[in-house]
Amino acid sequence: MKNVIKGLLVIMVVFAGSCSSTQSLQEYFVDNSDNPNFLSVDLPASLLNMDKVDLSEAEREALNSLKKMNVLAFKKNEANTVEFEAEKANVKAILKNGKFIDLMKLKTSYGKGVVKYIGNDEEIDEVIIYGDNDEKGFMLIRVLGNNMKPANLVQFMQAVQKSDYKGEGLNEIADFIKG
């Protein structure tokens, strides 16, 4: 009986979420930033500490186009399984909005995910990375910048590989996921 009630609750939350699909991704971040099941972190681009790295002009341009990343992570546990399913469904409904363009699908040892963006072939307004794992939870990352170009994504990844960045500043996220 308990499972039936949980199932009905999930269906009601998903249905209610699908009826009000006007919530933006930014609103979703704001609405859940104080929820104890979530960790919300804003990371400035300066965290990457790329000032001393020898970068090409294209890599420097790509790096300069990045402003910050917003991270929202939901850690699943036995007590919040119903909320996890509802929140996962909410995020997926938001990401199905036609303004998000698929860039790639991900399948890692952590789980499945997608990379999407808002913009066009000339300029990207925002990159969204979403991944989930039915045992651990999900993570949603918004990469925000100025005049980001599709080609900059590749240049940015190359620039980060050249750096000696070892994930400093991400300890809070790692501890949240592990803990």
Side-chain angles (χ1 to χ4, degrees), residues 60-166:
R60 182 76 51 203
E61 179 185 336
L63 183 63
N64 289 337
S65 72
L66 179 68
K67 286 192 315 189
K68 68 178 179 174
M69 293 182 293
N70 303 128
V71 179
L72 189 66
F74 185 103
K75 183 175 180 182
K76 183 183 176 204
N77 59 42
E78 289 181 23
N80 67 12
T81 301
V82 172
E83 186 177 359
F84 166 72
E85 292 298 333
E87 294 299 338
K88 185 168 81 166
N90 284 341
V91 171
K92 288 184 176 187
I94 292 169
L95 294 178
K96 283 185 180 175
N97 181 323
K99 71 180 182 179
F100 296 105
I101 301 166
D102 288 343
L103 189 58
M104 71 176 75
K105 293 186 188 273
L106 306 170
K107 188 167 186 173
T108 69
S109 59
Y110 176 76
K112 297 180 290 185
V114 294
V115 179
K116 296 179 175 248
Y117 69 95
I118 299 173
N120 56 46
D121 293 341
E122 301 292 319
E123 189 172 304
I124 295 175
D125 299 321
E126 150 178 359
V127 176
I128 298 93
I129 305 161
Y130 169 78
D132 63 48
N133 177 299
D134 286 336
E135 282 82 45
K136 297 181 182 181
F138 67 80
M139 187 174 299
L140 188 57
I141 303 169
R142 294 176 66 217
V143 180
L144 306 169
N146 291 322
N147 301 317
M148 293 189 296
K149 296 176 178 65
N152 283 3
L153 294 177
V154 173
Q155 296 294 332
F156 176 74
M157 296 308 276
Q158 290 172 344
V160 171
Q161 288 175 348
K162 284 184 177 181
S163 78
D164 60 353
Y165 179 69
K166 304 278 188 277

Side-chain angles (χ1 to χ4, degrees), residues 31-84:
D31 290 349
N32 288 293
S33 63
D34 292 329
N35 183 325
N37 288 314
F38 284 91
L39 171 68
S40 178
V41 180
D42 292 333
L43 304 170
S46 61
L47 179 74
L48 296 174
N49 211 8
M50 303 284 282
D51 296 337
K52 298 174 186 157
V53 179
D54 184 28
L55 301 175
S56 71
E57 185 65 33
E59 290 167 339
R60 182 76 51 203
E61 179 185 336
L63 183 63
N64 289 337
S65 72
L66 179 68
K67 286 192 315 189
K68 68 178 179 174
M69 293 182 293
N70 303 128
V71 179
L72 189 66
F74 185 103
K75 183 175 180 182
K76 183 183 176 204
N77 59 42
E78 289 181 23
N80 67 12
T81 301
V82 172
E83 186 177 359
F84 166 72

Side-chain angles (χ1 to χ4, degrees), residues 162-177:
K162 284 184 177 181
S163 78
D164 60 353
Y165 179 69
K166 304 278 188 277
E168 300 88 352
L170 301 177
N171 298 343
E172 188 177 1
I173 297 168
D175 291 345
F176 179 78
I177 292 170

